[in-house]
Amino acid sequence: MVGSLPPVTVPLPRRPLDESDQVRRWYENELGWPVVPANEGEPENRRTAVRLRTGLRFDVLDVPAEAGRAALRHLAAGSPVAVQGDRMRLLVAAGSAEELPGVLRWLEWGALALDLAVLGEGGLMDAPLPPAGEPAGARPPAPGRPGVLQGAAVWLRPPGPGCEVEASLPTVSALGGGGGAPDLVRVVDTVATQCHRLRLVRACAQPLAFS
């Protein structure tokens, strides 16, 4: 008499990673960038619930998209650039947030109110979705395309895989140096000039107030 076979235990199907987990793993494993989950108060329709910590591997220069486009010619091919709405985020070398006020004063922009900001230590940046096979420098996905919500952060120039991204980031130390990193001073001067121009254009476009 043949003994009965032991019951076969069928493992439950593995739960697929949700999108925020996939995004987090891409940044942590491919780039070595520290990430944090978004706050619980974020809208439920956010495309990704992941943010990137600034001040550790990079800082972020946040400028109007029109001003940022003028600075793209000063960046290396591998310098990551993101856009979100009408803002452009230029990734710059870690520590640049501390350098920026002095750079603006040296360039004689320190006394003017400019529409630019920098995220350094302790800052957070919305994590754009990882690139889906589009070459660096390609146009960002339009908000109306599938998978991209209106106002979501997207890569204009995505970071390449590996942990060598920092070598392509603009830095103050590139001024007068022989390395291949872009010159942060030149980038800041360009975006500051464009921010000032935009400010003047908007001021001239304001209707005159009559009493």
Side-chain angles (χ1 to χ4, degrees):
M1 184 173 179
V2 179
S4 59
L5 296 176
V8 177
T9 302
V10 179
L12 295 175
R14 295 181 62 184
R15 178 186 173 190
L17 293 175
D18 62 33
E19 188 171 46
S20 64
D21 283 336
Q22 295 177 26
V23 172
R24 176 181 58 81
R25 290 194 175 194
W26 185 80
Y27 281 107
E28 290 181 337
N29 297 338
E30 295 293 329
L31 300 175
W33 289 358
V35 301
V36 295
N39 296 331
E40 293 182 359
E42 295 287 351
E44 293 183 359
N45 63 349
R46 289 187 63 87
R47 184 60 178 162
T48 176
V50 174
R51 289 181 174 178
L52 305 176
R53 288 192 181 275
T54 61
L56 299 175
R57 303 293 298 274
F58 58 87
D59 288 354
V60 174
L61 190 61
D62 184 322
V63 299
E66 186 173 343
R69 282 194 292 269
L72 294 180
R73 67 182 185 274
H74 299 311
L75 302 180
S79 296
V81 178
V83 291
Q84 185 169 16
D86 62 352
R87 307 293 296 182
M88 184 174 289
R89 278 74 184 266
L90 309 174
L91 270 62
V92 295
S96 298
E98 289 74 23
E99 300 279 0
L100 183 62
V103 170
L104 289 172
R105 287 193 299 269
W106 186 71
L107 293 170
E108 300 184 349
W109 288 113
L112 297 177
L114 300 172
D115 185 16
L116 61 85
V118 65
L119 300 175
E121 185 176 359
L124 295 173
M125 167 188 167
D126 283 0
L129 292 178
E134 295 203 19
R139 298 182 63 182
R145 284 176 53 182
V148 179
L149 295 182
Q150 183 72 32
V154 295
W155 285 115
L156 175 64
R157 294 184 178 182
C163 300
E164 299 81 22
V165 178
E166 286 81 355
S168 69
L169 301 182
T171 176
V172 172
S173 62
L175 181 63
D183 179 8
L184 178 65
V185 174
R186 182 173 296 178
V187 172
V188 170
D189 191 33
T190 298
V191 296
T193 301
Q194 293 301 315
C195 285
H196 182 57
R197 183 187 67 80
L198 290 172
R199 180 171 176 266
L200 294 177
V201 169
R202 290 166 183 165
C204 293
Q206 293 293 327
L208 296 176
F210 296 95
S211 57

